[in-house]
Amino acid sequence: MDSLSISMVQPVQVVYSEHLAQSLVSICDREGYSRVLVVTDSVIHSLAPVQEAIAALEQTGRQIAVFDSIHADPHIATVDDGAARYREHQADCILAIGGGSVLDVARGIAIVATHGGSIADYVELSGSNGQPKRRATQRCQGLISVPTTSGTGSELSNALIVTDEHGNKLAVLADNATSTYAVLDPTLTLNLPQRMTIATGLDAFCHAAEGYLSALANPITDAIDEKVMFLLYNYLPRAVADGNDLEARRRVMIAASLAGWSLNQAGTIVGHSIAHVLGAQHHIVHGEAVGYALPAVVEFVADVREHKVREIGKILGAQIPDHAPLDQVRAIVVRAILEFRDSMLGLHPFEDYGISHETLVSYAPAVVNERFAGNTPKPIDTADAAWLLERFGSRK
Ligand SMILES: NC(=O)c1ccc[n+]([C@@H]2O[C@H](COP(=O)([O-])OP(=O)(O)OC[C@H]3O[C@@H](n4cnc5c(N)ncnc54)[C@H](O)[C@@H]3O)[C@@H](O)[C@H]2O)c1
Ligand SMILES: [Fe+2]
């Protein structure tokens, strides 16, 4: 057997709490944070537990500034504006409360505030375009990430996604910019609307499934990803059916965060490339986009990852005969994914977006050149990407 060597670092202190204000005050006390920049969006800012947390920090004499002008699929300029706000406030702590868009912006602010320039300087370039202009060489300090969606895993991940002036979604990968703390409080997700519960849960599921199939996967990420898919298969439908099911919300939030950790090693594959390209151009909700992409991605890689595709099927409750040929395995597992996505969760049909397949297929070259396509466990050319895009959102 080949010898194997794996190094997995998880530098984020993970705090699980159902008392957000109390936990934030105790973290700030312990670390001596006194000037806090709250990074959030206007919806989250108005939620009662968030208002309570800000009030509790103010009552302990801390200086609070709020940067809440963040929208979905955040732009480079938003990160740079936030970094300016951080400097102006002379902050020593960023408290990020929100979904992946907010948490990504906050980590971008931490990079720019620590290292200077614009977040555009840190973007990973694909193919032969070379290295980013700058890299985050020092550990960014004082970032507390509080997710309000259970999806991106951004609170544990080293990746952030920003949109440029042409509508391209670009990745920044910075091990030095992971959060100092992640505070997981699933009570924040009790009011997450059903459509966002489905989308963000599918995002987490696709992180685990794509990471599991990735060329960069290792036995430790495999163990995490198997458990993440198991938890989401068993608890996400409950969270969708009853948003107030706290036990389901707990399990789903923990699964999404663990997938964020695994992502740092295994990465995602071409399903996320498709979501990044289409998401930026057509504003397809990120978690829905990866969900629409997944069945064909699994079908595409099944010849080089047959055992893992079978395992995904088993986690999704499929019965696969021991000696089933590859074509049968593929068909059974794709059907199990569709059953989970469309029947158990109830993702709305892609046709609702009104985007023609002709338009979709025109993005094939962009998909091939996207940063994460290279993690796919077999070579992928424009014809392959067109094949995947033709099947994007198919319900059979
Ligand atoms: N860093 C990573 O590794 C990583 C991974 C996957 C995706 N992403 C990025 O994350 C972004 C998507 O993040 P997201 O899916 O968490 O959504 P989001 O942060 O874009 O939020 C979507 C909407 O949900 C609302 N919302 C969030 N929490 C809520 C709550 N508890 N109650 C009510 N409304 C709530 C927000 O106000 C917003 O309007 C995309 O930009 C994507 O590219 C990053
Ligand atoms: Fe994602």
Side-chain angles (χ1 to χ4, degrees):
M1 190 196 266
D2 291 340
S3 75
L4 187 65
S5 168
I6 303 166
S7 170
M8 290 271 294
V9 177
Q10 201 301 94
V12 184
Q13 298 206 43
V14 180
V15 174
Y16 179 91
S17 163
E18 291 170 14
H19 304 281
L20 181 64
Q22 212 174 306
S23 301
L24 292 176
V25 169
S26 87
I27 289 171
C28 288
D29 285 348
R30 190 179 325 143
E31 299 290 342
Y33 299 144
S34 62
R35 302 187 65 84
V36 181
L37 178 68
V38 177
V39 175
T40 187
D41 68 30
S42 51
V43 174
I44 308 295
H45 191 193
S46 64
L47 298 178
V50 175
Q51 290 290 319
E52 274 165 32
I54 293 174
L57 290 169
E58 276 170 342
Q59 275 159 19
T60 51
R62 294 180 163 87
Q63 301 299 311
I64 311 288
V66 176
F67 180 70
D68 70 354
S69 33
I70 296 173
H71 301 284
D73 302 327
H75 277 254
I76 283 168
T78 306
V79 176
D80 293 348
D81 290 349
R85 189 84 182 88
Y86 179 94
R87 287 195 204 96
E88 197 180 282
H89 185 57
Q90 298 182 321
D92 55 15
C93 167
I94 300 173
L95 169 57
I97 311 183
S101 299
V102 164
L103 304 190
D104 279 10
V105 167
R107 266 176 315 108
I109 293 173
I111 292 173
V112 174
T114 309
H115 298 83
S118 158
I119 196 64
D121 302 337
Y122 300 84
V123 161
E124 294 285 322
L125 304 167
S126 56
S128 56
N129 296 335
Q131 297 293 312
K133 209 159 121 195
R134 290 171 185 256
R135 282 209 182 271
T137 51
Q138 297 166 47
R139 178 85 178 119
C140 301
Q141 305 288 350
L143 173 59
I144 306 172
S145 295
V146 184
T148 62
T149 62
S150 295
T152 70
S154 181
E155 63 279 8
L156 290 197
S157 103
N158 65 356
L160 64 101
I161 310 291
V162 282
T163 304
D164 73 7
E165 67 278 21
H166 309 295
N168 300 310
K169 284 187 100 168
L170 305 166
V172 174
L173 301 176
D175 287 341
N176 278 326
T178 49
S179 317
T180 318
Y181 287 87
V183 181
L184 307 185
D185 179 354
T187 65
L188 293 170
T189 63
L190 293 175
N191 294 320
L192 188 68
Q194 191 180 54
R195 180 173 167 187
M196 282 303 293
T197 303
I198 296 170
T200 53
L202 275 171
D203 188 23
F205 188 87
C206 291
H207 292 159
E210 290 189 31
Y212 193 54
L213 298 168
S214 165
L216 304 178
N218 67 51
I220 301 177
T221 60
D222 285 351
I224 297 169
D225 289 332
E226 285 170 357
K227 187 68 183 183
V228 168
M229 288 187 279
F230 172 88
L231 286 170
L232 292 170
Y233 177 66
N234 285 287
Y235 291 95
L236 183 57
R238 271 175 57 176
V240 170
D242 174 7
N244 286 312
D245 182 340
L246 183 58
E247 179 60 10
R249 293 290 197 181
R250 269 187 198 125
R251 302 287 190 142
V252 170
M253 179 166 269
I254 290 166
S257 281
L258 285 175
W261 178 29
S262 169
L263 268 188
N264 292 350
Q265 301 279 322
T268 51
I269 62 174
V270 65
H272 266 69
S273 302
I274 292 174
H276 290 158
V277 170
L278 299 180
Q281 300 297 332
H282 295 281
H283 298 288
I284 303 177
V285 173
H286 174 76
E288 295 181 359
V290 291
Y292 292 133
L294 186 66
V297 169
V298 169
E299 197 175 339
F300 178 65
V301 302
D303 55 341
V304 293
R305 288 291 183 274
E306 183 174 350
H307 173 71
K308 285 190 168 180
V309 167
R310 273 179 173 272
E311 291 299 305
I312 293 174
K314 283 194 224 158
I315 290 168
L316 295 178
Q319 302 292 325
I320 308 173
D322 282 349
H323 300 292
L326 179 61
D327 281 348
Q328 191 184 353
V329 174
R330 259 196 197 114
I332 293 172
V333 177
V334 167
R335 214 178 311 123
I337 296 171
L338 292 173
E339 167 72 18
F340 176 56
R341 187 192 74 180
D342 298 337
S343 305
M344 293 174 67
L345 301 178
L347 175 65
H348 69 93
F350 170 62
E351 285 67 35
D352 293 348
Y353 280 102
I355 304 167
S356 73
H357 276 79
E358 204 173 37
T359 304
L360 289 181
V361 169
S362 71
Y363 293 111
V367 167
V368 172
N369 286 319
E370 202 273 344
R371 172 66 179 74
F372 296 103
N375 298 342
T376 308
K378 69 191 218 190
I380 175 158
D381 61 19
T382 310
D384 297 323
W387 183 89
L388 290 166
L389 286 161
E390 269 164 25
R391 283 155 185 78
F392 183 83
S394 167
R395 290 164 80 82
K396 49 180 192 306

